PDB file of all heavy atoms in Angstrom:
ATOM      1  N   ILE A   1       0.835  -1.216   0.000  1.00 92.00           N
ATOM      2  CA  ILE A   1       0.000   0.000   0.000  1.00 92.00           C
ATOM      3  C   ILE A   1       0.864   1.258   0.000  1.00 92.00           C
ATOM      4  O   ILE A   1       0.658   2.179  -0.799  1.00 92.00           O
ATOM      5  CB  ILE A   1      -0.943   0.006   1.225  1.00 92.00           C
ATOM      6  CG1 ILE A   1      -1.907  -1.179   1.170  1.00 92.00           C
ATOM      7  CG2 ILE A   1      -1.729   1.318   1.282  1.00 92.00           C
ATOM      8  CD1 ILE A   1      -2.755  -1.350   2.412  1.00 92.00           C
ATOM      9  N   MET A   2       1.835   1.301   0.906  1.00 93.00           N
ATOM     10  CA  MET A   2       2.660   2.499   1.051  1.00 93.00           C
ATOM     11  C   MET A   2       3.922   2.381   0.190  1.00 93.00           C
ATOM     12  O   MET A   2       5.050   2.418   0.667  1.00 93.00           O
ATOM     13  CB  MET A   2       3.025   2.705   2.525  1.00 93.00           C
ATOM     14  CG  MET A   2       3.481   4.124   2.860  1.00 93.00           C
ATOM     15  SD  MET A   2       2.257   5.404   2.504  1.00 93.00           S
ATOM     16  CE  MET A   2       1.136   5.198   3.879  1.00 93.00           C
ATOM     17  N   ASN A   3       3.715   2.243  -1.120  1.00 93.00           N
ATOM     18  CA  ASN A   3       4.846   2.172  -2.037  1.00 93.00           C
ATOM     19  C   ASN A   3       5.323   3.575  -2.397  1.00 93.00           C
ATOM     20  O   ASN A   3       4.771   4.570  -1.906  1.00 93.00           O
ATOM     21  CB  ASN A   3       4.463   1.389  -3.305  1.00 93.00           C
ATOM     22  CG  ASN A   3       3.191   1.921  -3.944  1.00 93.00           C
ATOM     23  OD1 ASN A   3       3.018   3.133  -4.070  1.00 93.00           O
ATOM     24  ND2 ASN A   3       2.294   1.025  -4.347  1.00 93.00           N
ATOM     25  N   ARG A   4       6.348   3.672  -3.235  1.00 92.00           N
ATOM     26  CA  ARG A   4       6.928   4.983  -3.567  1.00 92.00           C
ATOM     27  C   ARG A   4       5.913   5.909  -4.229  1.00 92.00           C
ATOM     28  O   ARG A   4       5.866   7.103  -3.947  1.00 92.00           O
ATOM     29  CB  ARG A   4       8.127   4.796  -4.492  1.00 92.00           C
ATOM     30  CG  ARG A   4       9.344   4.225  -3.808  1.00 92.00           C
ATOM     31  CD  ARG A   4      10.561   4.278  -4.698  1.00 92.00           C
ATOM     32  NE  ARG A   4      11.754   3.795  -4.017  1.00 92.00           N
ATOM     33  CZ  ARG A   4      12.960   3.827  -4.544  1.00 92.00           C
ATOM     34  NH1 ARG A   4      13.147   4.305  -5.780  1.00 92.00           N
ATOM     35  NH2 ARG A   4      13.997   3.364  -3.866  1.00 92.00           N
ATOM     36  N   ARG A   5       5.103   5.342  -5.107  1.00 94.00           N
ATOM     37  CA  ARG A   5       4.105   6.156  -5.801  1.00 94.00           C
ATOM     38  C   ARG A   5       3.082   6.721  -4.820  1.00 94.00           C
ATOM     39  O   ARG A   5       2.698   7.898  -4.910  1.00 94.00           O
ATOM     40  CB  ARG A   5       3.410   5.296  -6.861  1.00 94.00           C
ATOM     41  CG  ARG A   5       2.436   6.066  -7.734  1.00 94.00           C
ATOM     42  CD  ARG A   5       1.851   5.169  -8.811  1.00 94.00           C
ATOM     43  NE  ARG A   5       0.883   5.891  -9.630  1.00 94.00           N
ATOM     44  CZ  ARG A   5       0.201   5.342 -10.619  1.00 94.00           C
ATOM     45  NH1 ARG A   5       0.407   4.061 -10.933  1.00 94.00           N
ATOM     46  NH2 ARG A   5      -0.655   6.053 -11.298  1.00 94.00           N
ATOM     47  N   ALA A   6       2.633   5.873  -3.883  1.00 94.00           N
ATOM     48  CA  ALA A   6       1.667   6.321  -2.881  1.00 94.00           C
ATOM     49  C   ALA A   6       2.268   7.399  -1.982  1.00 94.00           C
ATOM     50  O   ALA A   6       1.614   8.398  -1.659  1.00 94.00           O
ATOM     51  CB  ALA A   6       1.199   5.131  -2.044  1.00 94.00           C
ATOM     52  N   CYS A   7       3.523   7.215  -1.581  1.00 94.00           N
ATOM     53  CA  CYS A   7       4.198   8.211  -0.729  1.00 94.00           C
ATOM     54  C   CYS A   7       4.305   9.552  -1.438  1.00 94.00           C
ATOM     55  O   CYS A   7       4.053  10.610  -0.848  1.00 94.00           O
ATOM     56  CB  CYS A   7       5.589   7.714  -0.335  1.00 94.00           C
ATOM     57  SG  CYS A   7       5.579   6.360   0.841  1.00 94.00           S
ATOM     58  N   LEU A   8       4.678   9.517  -2.719  1.00 95.00           N
ATOM     59  CA  LEU A   8       4.790  10.743  -3.494  1.00 95.00           C
ATOM     60  C   LEU A   8       3.434  11.414  -3.658  1.00 95.00           C
ATOM     61  O   LEU A   8       3.305  12.637  -3.488  1.00 95.00           O
ATOM     62  CB  LEU A   8       5.392  10.438  -4.871  1.00 95.00           C
ATOM     63  CG  LEU A   8       5.590  11.628  -5.815  1.00 95.00           C
ATOM     64  CD1 LEU A   8       6.559  12.643  -5.198  1.00 95.00           C
ATOM     65  CD2 LEU A   8       6.089  11.164  -7.181  1.00 95.00           C
ATOM     66  N   PHE A   9       2.413  10.624  -3.952  1.00 96.00           N
ATOM     67  CA  PHE A   9       1.064  11.156  -4.128  1.00 96.00           C
ATOM     68  C   PHE A   9       0.557  11.812  -2.841  1.00 96.00           C
ATOM     69  O   PHE A   9      -0.010  12.914  -2.870  1.00 96.00           O
ATOM     70  CB  PHE A   9       0.120  10.025  -4.548  1.00 96.00           C
ATOM     71  CG  PHE A   9      -1.323  10.436  -4.665  1.00 96.00           C
ATOM     72  CD1 PHE A   9      -1.786  11.121  -5.780  1.00 96.00           C
ATOM     73  CD2 PHE A   9      -2.227  10.148  -3.647  1.00 96.00           C
ATOM     74  CE1 PHE A   9      -3.110  11.507  -5.882  1.00 96.00           C
ATOM     75  CE2 PHE A   9      -3.553  10.532  -3.729  1.00 96.00           C
ATOM     76  CZ  PHE A   9      -3.995  11.212  -4.863  1.00 96.00           C
ATOM     77  N   LEU A  10       0.765  11.154  -1.711  1.00 95.00           N
ATOM     78  CA  LEU A  10       0.310  11.697  -0.426  1.00 95.00           C
ATOM     79  C   LEU A  10       1.056  12.983  -0.071  1.00 95.00           C
ATOM     80  O   LEU A  10       0.455  13.952   0.421  1.00 95.00           O
ATOM     81  CB  LEU A  10       0.496  10.654   0.679  1.00 95.00           C
ATOM     82  CG  LEU A  10      -0.467   9.458   0.632  1.00 95.00           C
ATOM     83  CD1 LEU A  10      -0.021   8.382   1.611  1.00 95.00           C
ATOM     84  CD2 LEU A  10      -1.893   9.900   0.938  1.00 95.00           C
ATOM     85  N   ALA A  11       2.367  13.002  -0.317  1.00 95.00           N
ATOM     86  CA  ALA A  11       3.160  14.202  -0.009  1.00 95.00           C
ATOM     87  C   ALA A  11       2.726  15.386  -0.872  1.00 95.00           C
ATOM     88  O   ALA A  11       2.510  16.498  -0.365  1.00 95.00           O
ATOM     89  CB  ALA A  11       4.644  13.911  -0.207  1.00 95.00           C
ATOM     90  N   VAL A  12       2.584  15.142  -2.176  1.00 96.00           N
ATOM     91  CA  VAL A  12       2.151  16.213  -3.085  1.00 96.00           C
ATOM     92  C   VAL A  12       0.748  16.680  -2.719  1.00 96.00           C
ATOM     93  O   VAL A  12       0.445  17.880  -2.761  1.00 96.00           O
ATOM     94  CB  VAL A  12       2.201  15.729  -4.555  1.00 96.00           C
ATOM     95  CG1 VAL A  12       1.551  16.754  -5.482  1.00 96.00           C
ATOM     96  CG2 VAL A  12       3.647  15.484  -4.981  1.00 96.00           C
ATOM     97  N   GLY A  13      -0.112  15.744  -2.332  1.00 96.00           N
ATOM     98  CA  GLY A  13      -1.479  16.092  -1.951  1.00 96.00           C
ATOM     99  C   GLY A  13      -1.548  17.032  -0.765  1.00 96.00           C
ATOM    100  O   GLY A  13      -2.402  17.928  -0.722  1.00 96.00           O
ATOM    101  N   THR A  14      -0.649  16.857   0.201  1.00 96.00           N
ATOM    102  CA  THR A  14      -0.652  17.752   1.363  1.00 96.00           C
ATOM    103  C   THR A  14      -0.314  19.185   0.952  1.00 96.00           C
ATOM    104  O   THR A  14      -0.944  20.140   1.426  1.00 96.00           O
ATOM    105  CB  THR A  14       0.355  17.276   2.431  1.00 96.00           C
ATOM    106  OG1 THR A  14       1.676  17.283   1.890  1.00 96.00           O
ATOM    107  CG2 THR A  14       0.022  15.884   2.925  1.00 96.00           C
ATOM    108  N   TYR A  15       0.672  19.334   0.046  1.00 97.00           N
ATOM    109  CA  TYR A  15       1.046  20.677  -0.423  1.00 97.00           C
ATOM    110  C   TYR A  15      -0.070  21.298  -1.273  1.00 97.00           C
ATOM    111  O   TYR A  15      -0.347  22.493  -1.162  1.00 97.00           O
ATOM    112  CB  TYR A  15       2.340  20.611  -1.237  1.00 97.00           C
ATOM    113  CG  TYR A  15       3.575  20.363  -0.404  1.00 97.00           C
ATOM    114  CD1 TYR A  15       4.055  19.066  -0.213  1.00 97.00           C
ATOM    115  CD2 TYR A  15       4.260  21.414   0.206  1.00 97.00           C
ATOM    116  CE1 TYR A  15       5.184  18.825   0.557  1.00 97.00           C
ATOM    117  CE2 TYR A  15       5.389  21.180   0.974  1.00 97.00           C
ATOM    118  CZ  TYR A  15       5.842  19.883   1.149  1.00 97.00           C
ATOM    119  OH  TYR A  15       6.964  19.645   1.915  1.00 97.00           O
ATOM    120  N   PHE A  16      -0.698  20.483  -2.103  1.00 96.00           N
ATOM    121  CA  PHE A  16      -1.782  20.986  -2.955  1.00 96.00           C
ATOM    122  C   PHE A  16      -2.952  21.461  -2.098  1.00 96.00           C
ATOM    123  O   PHE A  16      -3.514  22.539  -2.331  1.00 96.00           O
ATOM    124  CB  PHE A  16      -2.230  19.880  -3.917  1.00 96.00           C
ATOM    125  CG  PHE A  16      -3.318  20.311  -4.863  1.00 96.00           C
ATOM    126  CD1 PHE A  16      -3.045  21.185  -5.908  1.00 96.00           C
ATOM    127  CD2 PHE A  16      -4.618  19.834  -4.705  1.00 96.00           C
ATOM    128  CE1 PHE A  16      -4.048  21.586  -6.774  1.00 96.00           C
ATOM    129  CE2 PHE A  16      -5.631  20.234  -5.567  1.00 96.00           C
ATOM    130  CZ  PHE A  16      -5.342  21.114  -6.610  1.00 96.00           C
ATOM    131  N   GLY A  17      -3.323  20.659  -1.103  1.00 95.00           N
ATOM    132  CA  GLY A  17      -4.420  21.052  -0.210  1.00 95.00           C
ATOM    133  C   GLY A  17      -4.097  22.308   0.575  1.00 95.00           C
ATOM    134  O   GLY A  17      -4.946  23.195   0.728  1.00 95.00           O
ATOM    135  N   GLY A  18      -2.870  22.411   1.072  1.00 95.00           N
ATOM    136  CA  GLY A  18      -2.457  23.604   1.812  1.00 95.00           C
ATOM    137  C   GLY A  18      -2.471  24.842   0.950  1.00 95.00           C
ATOM    138  O   GLY A  18      -2.860  25.930   1.397  1.00 95.00           O
ATOM    139  N   CYS A  19      -2.072  24.699  -0.318  1.00 95.00           N
ATOM    140  CA  CYS A  19      -2.056  25.830  -1.246  1.00 95.00           C
ATOM    141  C   CYS A  19      -3.467  26.334  -1.531  1.00 95.00           C
ATOM    142  O   CYS A  19      -3.728  27.540  -1.521  1.00 95.00           O
ATOM    143  CB  CYS A  19      -1.357  25.429  -2.536  1.00 95.00           C
ATOM    144  SG  CYS A  19      -1.140  26.780  -3.706  1.00 95.00           S
ATOM    145  N   LEU A  20      -4.393  25.421  -1.787  1.00 94.00           N
ATOM    146  CA  LEU A  20      -5.788  25.811  -2.051  1.00 94.00           C
ATOM    147  C   LEU A  20      -6.389  26.534  -0.852  1.00 94.00           C
ATOM    148  O   LEU A  20      -7.061  27.566  -0.998  1.00 94.00           O
ATOM    149  CB  LEU A  20      -6.626  24.573  -2.386  1.00 94.00           C
ATOM    150  CG  LEU A  20      -6.464  23.952  -3.768  1.00 94.00           C
ATOM    151  CD1 LEU A  20      -7.397  22.759  -3.920  1.00 94.00           C
ATOM    152  CD2 LEU A  20      -6.746  24.979  -4.862  1.00 94.00           C
ATOM    153  N   HIS A  21      -6.156  25.987   0.329  1.00 92.00           N
ATOM    154  CA  HIS A  21      -6.666  26.599   1.560  1.00 92.00           C
ATOM    155  C   HIS A  21      -6.149  28.026   1.715  1.00 92.00           C
ATOM    156  O   HIS A  21      -6.909  28.969   1.965  1.00 92.00           O
ATOM    157  CB  HIS A  21      -6.235  25.751   2.762  1.00 92.00           C
ATOM    158  CG  HIS A  21      -6.310  26.453   4.075  1.00 92.00           C
ATOM    159  ND1 HIS A  21      -7.459  26.533   4.821  1.00 92.00           N
ATOM    160  CD2 HIS A  21      -5.364  27.140   4.779  1.00 92.00           C
ATOM    161  CE1 HIS A  21      -7.230  27.231   5.924  1.00 92.00           C
ATOM    162  NE2 HIS A  21      -5.957  27.602   5.923  1.00 92.00           N
ATOM    163  N   SER A  22      -4.841  28.200   1.541  1.00 94.00           N
ATOM    164  CA  SER A  22      -4.240  29.511   1.752  1.00 94.00           C
ATOM    165  C   SER A  22      -4.637  30.516   0.677  1.00 94.00           C
ATOM    166  O   SER A  22      -4.831  31.713   0.964  1.00 94.00           O
ATOM    167  CB  SER A  22      -2.714  29.379   1.800  1.00 94.00           C
ATOM    168  OG  SER A  22      -2.125  30.600   2.180  1.00 94.00           O
ATOM    169  N   LEU A  23      -4.763  30.068  -0.564  1.00 95.00           N
ATOM    170  CA  LEU A  23      -5.200  30.968  -1.642  1.00 95.00           C
ATOM    171  C   LEU A  23      -6.567  31.561  -1.331  1.00 95.00           C
ATOM    172  O   LEU A  23      -6.783  32.767  -1.503  1.00 95.00           O
ATOM    173  CB  LEU A  23      -5.250  30.207  -2.967  1.00 95.00           C
ATOM    174  CG  LEU A  23      -3.955  30.096  -3.765  1.00 95.00           C
ATOM    175  CD1 LEU A  23      -4.152  29.190  -4.973  1.00 95.00           C
ATOM    176  CD2 LEU A  23      -3.467  31.480  -4.216  1.00 95.00           C
ATOM    177  N   MET A  24      -7.481  30.720  -0.867  1.00 92.00           N
ATOM    178  CA  MET A  24      -8.821  31.200  -0.545  1.00 92.00           C
ATOM    179  C   MET A  24      -8.793  32.194   0.611  1.00 92.00           C
ATOM    180  O   MET A  24      -9.400  33.274   0.535  1.00 92.00           O
ATOM    181  CB  MET A  24      -9.720  30.018  -0.187  1.00 92.00           C
ATOM    182  CG  MET A  24     -11.157  30.416   0.121  1.00 92.00           C
ATOM    183  SD  MET A  24     -12.161  29.055   0.731  1.00 92.00           S
ATOM    184  CE  MET A  24     -11.441  28.808   2.352  1.00 92.00           C
ATOM    185  N   GLU A  25      -8.080  31.849   1.684  1.00 92.00           N
ATOM    186  CA  GLU A  25      -8.032  32.728   2.854  1.00 92.00           C
ATOM    187  C   GLU A  25      -7.364  34.068   2.522  1.00 92.00           C
ATOM    188  O   GLU A  25      -7.839  35.131   2.931  1.00 92.00           O
ATOM    189  CB  GLU A  25      -7.261  32.027   3.985  1.00 92.00           C
ATOM    190  CG  GLU A  25      -7.958  30.820   4.574  1.00 92.00           C
ATOM    191  CD  GLU A  25      -9.133  31.196   5.460  1.00 92.00           C
ATOM    192  OE1 GLU A  25      -9.425  32.394   5.611  1.00 92.00           O
ATOM    193  OE2 GLU A  25      -9.770  30.268   5.993  1.00 92.00           O
ATOM    194  N   THR A  26      -6.258  34.016   1.783  1.00 94.00           N
ATOM    195  CA  THR A  26      -5.535  35.246   1.437  1.00 94.00           C
ATOM    196  C   THR A  26      -6.360  36.146   0.529  1.00 94.00           C
ATOM    197  O   THR A  26      -6.420  37.371   0.723  1.00 94.00           O
ATOM    198  CB  THR A  26      -4.195  34.904   0.749  1.00 94.00           C
ATOM    199  OG1 THR A  26      -3.455  34.010   1.582  1.00 94.00           O
ATOM    200  CG2 THR A  26      -3.366  36.152   0.508  1.00 94.00           C
ATOM    201  N   ALA A  27      -7.018  35.550  -0.462  1.00 93.00           N
ATOM    202  CA  ALA A  27      -7.848  36.327  -1.394  1.00 93.00           C
ATOM    203  C   ALA A  27      -9.015  36.983  -0.670  1.00 93.00           C
ATOM    204  O   ALA A  27      -9.360  38.148  -0.949  1.00 93.00           O
ATOM    205  CB  ALA A  27      -8.358  35.425  -2.511  1.00 93.00           C
ATOM    206  N   LEU A  28      -9.609  36.290   0.288  1.00 92.00           N
ATOM    207  CA  LEU A  28     -10.740  36.838   1.039  1.00 92.00           C
ATOM    208  C   LEU A  28     -10.327  38.040   1.881  1.00 92.00           C
ATOM    209  O   LEU A  28     -11.095  38.991   2.044  1.00 92.00           O
ATOM    210  CB  LEU A  28     -11.352  35.764   1.934  1.00 92.00           C
ATOM    211  CG  LEU A  28     -12.314  34.777   1.273  1.00 92.00           C
ATOM    212  CD1 LEU A  28     -12.714  33.681   2.254  1.00 92.00           C
ATOM    213  CD2 LEU A  28     -13.556  35.494   0.755  1.00 92.00           C
ATOM    214  N   VAL A  29      -9.105  38.013   2.423  1.00 92.00           N
ATOM    215  CA  VAL A  29      -8.638  39.113   3.275  1.00 92.00           C
ATOM    216  C   VAL A  29      -8.286  40.342   2.444  1.00 92.00           C
ATOM    217  O   VAL A  29      -8.761  41.455   2.715  1.00 92.00           O
ATOM    218  CB  VAL A  29      -7.418  38.672   4.110  1.00 92.00           C
ATOM    219  CG1 VAL A  29      -6.796  39.889   4.827  1.00 92.00           C
ATOM    220  CG2 VAL A  29      -7.816  37.616   5.118  1.00 92.00           C
ATOM    221  N   PHE A  30      -7.492  40.164   1.393  1.00 92.00           N
ATOM    222  CA  PHE A  30      -6.939  41.318   0.683  1.00 92.00           C
ATOM    223  C   PHE A  30      -7.821  41.826  -0.462  1.00 92.00           C
ATOM    224  O   PHE A  30      -7.418  42.722  -1.193  1.00 92.00           O
ATOM    225  CB  PHE A  30      -5.530  40.994   0.195  1.00 92.00           C
ATOM    226  CG  PHE A  30      -4.535  40.917   1.328  1.00 92.00           C
ATOM    227  CD1 PHE A  30      -4.150  39.686   1.841  1.00 92.00           C
ATOM    228  CD2 PHE A  30      -4.026  42.066   1.911  1.00 92.00           C
ATOM    229  CE1 PHE A  30      -3.249  39.601   2.892  1.00 92.00           C
ATOM    230  CE2 PHE A  30      -3.135  41.996   2.955  1.00 92.00           C
ATOM    231  CZ  PHE A  30      -2.737  40.767   3.460  1.00 92.00           C
ATOM    232  N   ARG A  31      -9.024  41.267  -0.598  1.00 89.00           N
ATOM    233  CA  ARG A  31     -10.013  41.860  -1.517  1.00 89.00           C
ATOM    234  C   ARG A  31     -10.711  43.039  -0.852  1.00 89.00           C
ATOM    235  O   ARG A  31     -11.349  43.850  -1.507  1.00 89.00           O
ATOM    236  CB  ARG A  31     -11.064  40.815  -1.903  1.00 89.00           C
ATOM    237  CG  ARG A  31     -11.989  40.433  -0.760  1.00 89.00           C
ATOM    238  CD  ARG A  31     -13.015  39.405  -1.109  1.00 89.00           C
ATOM    239  NE  ARG A  31     -13.790  39.018   0.068  1.00 89.00           N
ATOM    240  CZ  ARG A  31     -14.849  39.687   0.523  1.00 89.00           C
ATOM    241  NH1 ARG A  31     -15.277  40.769  -0.106  1.00 89.00           N
ATOM    242  NH2 ARG A  31     -15.484  39.290   1.615  1.00 89.00           N
ATOM    243  N   LEU A  32     -10.577  43.143   0.491  1.00 87.00           N
ATOM    244  CA  LEU A  32     -11.254  44.172   1.264  1.00 87.00           C
ATOM    245  C   LEU A  32     -10.465  45.487   1.260  1.00 87.00           C
ATOM    246  O   LEU A  32      -9.241  45.478   1.119  1.00 87.00           O
ATOM    247  CB  LEU A  32     -11.452  43.697   2.712  1.00 87.00           C
ATOM    248  CG  LEU A  32     -12.321  42.439   2.887  1.00 87.00           C
ATOM    249  CD1 LEU A  32     -12.253  41.946   4.324  1.00 87.00           C
ATOM    250  CD2 LEU A  32     -13.761  42.730   2.489  1.00 87.00           C
ATOM    251  N   PRO A  33     -11.152  46.619   1.424  1.00 87.00           N
ATOM    252  CA  PRO A  33     -10.455  47.926   1.432  1.00 87.00           C
ATOM    253  C   PRO A  33      -9.804  48.214   2.783  1.00 87.00           C
ATOM    254  O   PRO A  33     -10.294  47.789   3.822  1.00 87.00           O
ATOM    255  CB  PRO A  33     -11.596  48.914   1.166  1.00 87.00           C
ATOM    256  CG  PRO A  33     -12.807  48.250   1.750  1.00 87.00           C
ATOM    257  CD  PRO A  33     -12.628  46.772   1.520  1.00 87.00           C
ATOM    258  N   PHE A  34      -8.682  48.943   2.745  1.00 86.00           N
ATOM    259  CA  PHE A  34      -7.977  49.338   3.954  1.00 86.00           C
ATOM    260  C   PHE A  34      -8.047  50.857   4.108  1.00 86.00           C
ATOM    261  O   PHE A  34      -8.116  51.596   3.117  1.00 86.00           O
ATOM    262  CB  PHE A  34      -6.520  48.890   3.915  1.00 86.00           C
ATOM    263  CG  PHE A  34      -6.349  47.407   4.048  1.00 86.00           C
ATOM    264  CD1 PHE A  34      -6.403  46.584   2.924  1.00 86.00           C
ATOM    265  CD2 PHE A  34      -6.141  46.826   5.283  1.00 86.00           C
ATOM    266  CE1 PHE A  34      -6.257  45.211   3.033  1.00 86.00           C
ATOM    267  CE2 PHE A  34      -5.989  45.442   5.409  1.00 86.00           C
ATOM    268  CZ  PHE A  34      -6.047  44.645   4.285  1.00 86.00           C
ATOM    269  N   GLY A  35      -8.000  51.323   5.353  1.00 79.00           N
ATOM    270  CA  GLY A  35      -7.985  52.760   5.627  1.00 79.00           C
ATOM    271  C   GLY A  35      -6.563  53.268   5.797  1.00 79.00           C
ATOM    272  O   GLY A  35      -5.616  52.698   5.258  1.00 79.00           O
ATOM    273  N   TRP A  36      -6.413  54.324   6.603  1.00 81.00           N
ATOM    274  CA  TRP A  36      -5.097  54.917   6.781  1.00 81.00           C
ATOM    275  C   TRP A  36      -4.263  54.189   7.837  1.00 81.00           C
ATOM    276  O   TRP A  36      -3.050  54.319   7.880  1.00 81.00           O
ATOM    277  CB  TRP A  36      -5.236  56.385   7.189  1.00 81.00           C
ATOM    278  CG  TRP A  36      -6.055  56.591   8.435  1.00 81.00           C
ATOM    279  CD1 TRP A  36      -7.406  56.778   8.516  1.00 81.00           C
ATOM    280  CD2 TRP A  36      -5.578  56.606   9.792  1.00 81.00           C
ATOM    281  NE1 TRP A  36      -7.813  56.900   9.825  1.00 81.00           N
ATOM    282  CE2 TRP A  36      -6.696  56.807  10.633  1.00 81.00           C
ATOM    283  CE3 TRP A  36      -4.319  56.475  10.370  1.00 81.00           C
ATOM    284  CZ2 TRP A  36      -6.595  56.869  12.015  1.00 81.00           C
ATOM    285  CZ3 TRP A  36      -4.213  56.536  11.744  1.00 81.00           C
ATOM    286  CH2 TRP A  36      -5.349  56.735  12.553  1.00 81.00           C
TER     287      TRP A  36
END
């Protein structure tokens, strides 16, 4: 089950999921207007 392909897939998946999460959160914050 935990062969090289599975290890690579799981590792890449963690980075992909983290990237999607952060893109959404960052876009939601900096779409808003700032004052002085």
Side-chain angles (χ1 to χ4, degrees):
I1 298 173
M2 199 59 77
N3 52 44
R4 287 190 177 185
R5 185 177 178 182
C7 289
L8 180 61
F9 176 79
L10 288 170
V12 171
T14 61
Y15 287 94
F16 182 72
C19 185
L20 285 181
H21 162 85
S22 188
L23 275 174
M24 182 187 70
E25 292 286 1
T26 306
L28 279 174
V29 171
F30 289 100
R31 70 181 175 84
L32 298 171
F34 289 87
W36 57 270

